[in-house]
Amino acid sequence: QGTKAFSGAKDGSVIMWNVQDGTKTTILPAIKDQYAANLTDRNEREILAIATSGDDRYLAIGGRDNCVRIFDTRTLGKSTSSPLTTMEGHKKPVTALAFRSRSLDLYSGSEDRCIRRYDLNAMTYVETLYGHQSPIVAIDCANKNRPVSIARDRTVRVWKVEEDSHLVYRGGGDVGSAECITAIQDG
């Protein structure tokens, strides 16, 4: 465990890195040829978010195409690099992804101001969380089923998924927009 890392780029490429020896395997190739894809296709392939499950089994990729693609990391680079499934539903680019710790619950945040929850045990969409007034830029989720998100509306929200509610924290008038967030695991 801990031998792989993944990177995504605005050219649509995704690379799997072996962090022990520095070798790389291209999972999704870059779109370079202007004759192979028009500018719109290239922009839609931009990778904006990547997350891996805690058991190192799944890789989730989100981008400008409004979709979340799920790959099995055990088969990446060995055969075809096709996703196991593609989750659709966001109306704008997917900008944030996070797996809940010790589970296969995946959360995606988007410029459409929504957070979508998926269960990768069943490879299904579960629900949509509403509340942000601006595009979501980051999300994280520790042990409890309480994802934490931040958006350009300058709020941090803690989502109480089981209770179907959330807490809102505002930084105040002199605080600028934040671009990232992380949750700390308790015990």
Side-chain angles (χ1 to χ4, degrees), residues 153-154 170-177:
D153 59 10
R154 296 195 282 178
R170 299 185 197 308
D174 61 342
V175 175
S177 157

Side-chain angles (χ1 to χ4, degrees), residues 18-93:
N18 181 321
V19 295
Q20 291 179 331
D21 63 16
T23 58
K24 66 180 183 175
T25 304
T26 300
I27 304 305
L28 293 175
I31 295 179
K32 295 179 183 176
D33 187 358
Q34 65 181 355
Y35 301 107
N38 65 35
L39 183 59
T40 302
D41 291 338
R42 280 187 277 164
N43 287 343
E44 287 178 359
R45 278 280 305 273
E46 284 185 48
I47 306 299
L48 302 175
I50 288 183
T52 54
S53 59
D55 64 359
D56 298 330
R57 182 174 177 186
Y58 294 113
L59 170 70
I61 298 171
R64 198 155 302 279
D65 62 358
N66 311 346
C67 297
V68 176
R69 289 182 170 69
I70 308 299
F71 293 86
D72 186 335
T73 61
R74 298 169 301 176
T75 60
L76 288 176
K78 295 179 182 164
S79 60
T80 179
S81 291
S82 297
L84 294 172
T85 189
T86 299
M87 307 288 194
E88 298 177 344
H90 279 295
K91 293 175 177 49
K92 292 191 176 181

Side-chain angles (χ1 to χ4, degrees), residues 4 18 41-42 50 53 74 79 86-87 95 99 101 105-107 126 135 147 157 160 167 171 174 176 186:
K4 297 176 189 170
N18 181 321
D41 291 338
R42 280 187 277 164
I50 288 183
S53 59
R74 298 169 301 176
S79 60
T86 299
M87 307 288 194
T95 54
F99 278 92
S101 225
D105 284 350
L106 173 67
Y107 293 90
V126 177
R157 295 180 188 249
K160 298 178 178 182
L167 303 171
D174 61 342
D186 295 328

